[in-house]
Amino acid sequence: MPGQRRLAYESFVIYDESDQQQVTKSVMKRLGIDDKQLTPRAVLAHISWAKNHMQDPQEVYLNSADPRPSALRIFTRISQRAAAANAFDFDDLLLEQSGC
């Protein structure tokens, strides 16, 4: 995946589902996106699908049927926050192990 981070084995955090939901809700709130119209669970499912298909945030936006840039903004911000915290979710760990 373009711009993919490499796992720093000496210190990293694994985001579980609860952590992912919390970060997603926070990002959506900061971006002014109503979590009743677009749920964090739906966002995370879309991001997981994208990661498993080795798509970066820009590719997700370009391939989205949704004309609003919300998917790109949410995915980008979540990726930035995870990188700043040296955090990985389970999809990231699987991609790391597969060498993608």
Side-chain angles (χ1 to χ4, degrees):
M1 197 151 86
Q4 183 177 358
R5 301 174 291 135
R6 299 306 301 174
L7 186 59
Y9 289 101
E10 56 277 350
S11 65
F12 64 93
V13 176
I14 298 175
Y15 279 170
D16 64 13
E17 187 174 338
S18 175
D19 297 325
Q20 290 175 290
Q21 291 263 346
Q22 181 181 7
V23 169
T24 303
K25 285 180 184 180
S26 173
V27 165
M28 290 174 66
K29 183 176 181 178
R30 177 161 269 183
L31 293 173
I33 298 170
D34 183 7
D35 67 357
K36 302 291 188 248
Q37 293 181 354
L38 180 63
T39 66
R41 185 175 300 276
V43 170
L44 289 169
H46 191 68
I47 290 172
S48 179
W49 181 91
K51 287 179 180 180
N52 287 309
H53 287 83
M54 294 184 268
Q55 292 186 355
D56 65 17
Q58 186 69 31
E59 290 171 308
V60 169
Y61 174 66
L62 293 174
N63 295 325
S64 177
D66 184 353
R68 297 170 296 173
S70 59
L72 172 65
R73 295 183 329 172
I74 295 168
F75 192 174
T76 299
R77 295 281 174 89
I78 289 172
S79 296
Q80 290 169 342
R81 286 191 52 180
N86 199 26
F88 295 82
D89 63 22
F90 292 109
D91 291 323
D92 296 327
L93 293 173
L94 291 173
L95 287 171
E96 182 69 26
Q97 290 303 311
S98 70
C100 295

